[in-house]
Amino acid sequence: MTNNEIIAGTLSVFKECSINNFPIDCWDIINQYGYKVKRYSELKPKKQEACMGLSDDANIIGDTVYYNESKSTNRIRFSLMHELGHVILKSDNESECDKFASHIIAPRIAIHYSKCKNAIDVTKIFILSDQASRIAFDDYRRWRRIISIYGMSAIDKQMYEHFYNEDAQKFVWTFDRCDFCYTNDTYNGDVLCDSCKLYEIRKNIHTRRTDYQEHDLDIARSRWLYGNL
Ligand SMILES: [Zn+2]
Ligand SMILES: [Zn+2]
């Protein structure tokens, strides 16, 4: 299986589960594919032992993904996505499923647009283990080098299109509510939306009197909350 086929597998999940916010919710994704998620300790001792024998991270049994809850959260997330890889790629190949997990948790294009400077940034933003983040970041640098020479591949373009946000008119890897107006969306880690950012700039021009600022703040607030005054 080629790398691009694995990435296409992750894109099919992003589309099917309407994922456009990182970090992804690994538990929810598994549920959306009709699987339950349970801990090893929920199994009877004999089955638990058998599971441990197969993998001390995670296993699929019937319609349930079991995971070893004694591992770190970051590692569990990776293991869950590895198991999903078996389902999506219809593959028994362990290294293919590891790559799937790496790409679905931290797509290289999202590492790029989230401006990660190193593996530590990848760990923080995408919630990936330290080791997996190092692998993902090294792979990202390779990917970027290839793009700088050959340009985006077809699958890169499809990935870009999926995460392109019409309102923001850019690649969006995470969005939230604006801290100030609670009405508009903010993109890619911004705290304020574009209108509130403009307001902040204007406010800083009028800093002579505090009560004036307060008043201005109220006008702005009601405008955003109740429409135009
Ligand atoms: Zn496996
Ligand atoms: Zn706002």
Side-chain angles (χ1 to χ4, degrees):
M1 193 173 285
T2 66
N3 234 19
N4 280 353
E5 283 170 326
I6 293 169
I7 295 167
T10 67
L11 180 59
S12 74
V13 177
F14 292 145
K15 283 184 190 292
E16 202 137 335
C17 301
S18 306
I19 292 167
N20 25 34
N21 223 344
F22 290 91
I24 57 168
D25 183 338
C26 300
W27 277 257
D28 182 58
I29 294 170
I30 301 249
N31 287 332
Q32 288 205 50
Y33 278 92
Y35 289 86
K36 291 189 275 275
V37 184
K38 289 185 177 174
R39 298 186 290 268
Y40 272 8
S41 61
E42 292 178 67
L43 285 161
K44 295 208 173 82
K46 265 209 169 144
K47 277 198 168 176
Q48 208 181 121
E49 215 173 284
C51 254
M52 280 292 208
L54 288 168
S55 157
D56 76 335
D57 281 307
N59 268 299
I60 296 185
I61 304 171
D63 64 349
T64 307
V65 179
Y66 287 94
Y67 68 92
N68 185 349
E69 71 270 28
S70 68
K71 303 282 180 182
S72 71
T73 307
N74 296 16
R75 181 145 180 165
I76 292 169
R77 286 166 56 80
F78 192 90
S79 303
L80 293 179
M81 290 302 97
H82 171 102
E83 295 306 320
L84 182 71
H86 284 298
V87 175
I88 301 293
L89 304 176
K90 297 181 179 68
S91 161
D92 290 328
N93 185 301
E94 297 306 315
S95 98
E96 284 173 3
C97 294
D98 277 346
K99 279 184 192 161
F100 176 89
S102 171
H103 279 279
I104 196 168
I105 294 175
R108 308 315 182 237
I109 199 166
I111 292 180
H112 181 74
Y113 284 104
S114 60
K115 298 190 172 74
C116 289
K117 295 276 174 290
N118 48 44
I120 297 164
D121 289 345
V122 175
T123 300
K124 277 193 215 145
I125 290 176
F126 299 97
I127 313 190
L128 198 60
S129 73
D130 294 348
Q131 196 200 352
S133 294
R134 276 195 297 276
I135 293 170
F137 191 74
D138 284 348
D139 187 52
Y140 154 68
R141 295 209 298 195
R142 255 192 312 274
W143 172 84
R144 200 181 52 185
R145 234 178 0 251
I146 291 167
I147 281 204
S148 70
I149 301 167
Y150 302 105
M152 276 191 175
S153 69
I155 188 72
D156 291 326
K157 284 178 187 159
Q158 288 170 34
M159 199 66 101
Y160 183 87
E161 271 167 37
H162 175 77
F163 288 101
Y164 182 84
N165 181 300
E166 288 292 340
D167 293 330
Q169 293 196 6
K170 62 183 172 191
F171 184 102
V172 169
W173 54 275
T174 186
F175 58 89
D176 216 330
R177 277 281 179 237
C178 170
D179 261 10
F180 184 59
C181 67
Y182 312 116
T183 308
N184 302 331
D185 282 331
T186 63
Y187 305 102
N188 297 348
D190 282 349
V191 179
L192 299 178
C193 68
D194 283 348
S195 340
C196 291
K197 250 188 265 169
L198 272 180
Y199 171 72
E200 280 293 300
I201 293 164
R202 272 197 288 129
K203 193 184 77 183
N204 289 335
I205 297 167
H206 307 290
T207 44
R208 276 157 297 166
R209 282 175 56 194
T210 358
D211 56 347
Y212 177 79
Q213 271 184 58
E214 292 270 318
H215 176 65
D216 209 7
L217 206 74
D218 283 339
I219 292 173
R221 238 180 226 140
S222 41
R223 184 184 304 141
W224 279 307
L225 289 175
Y226 309 113
N228 288 326
L229 288 173

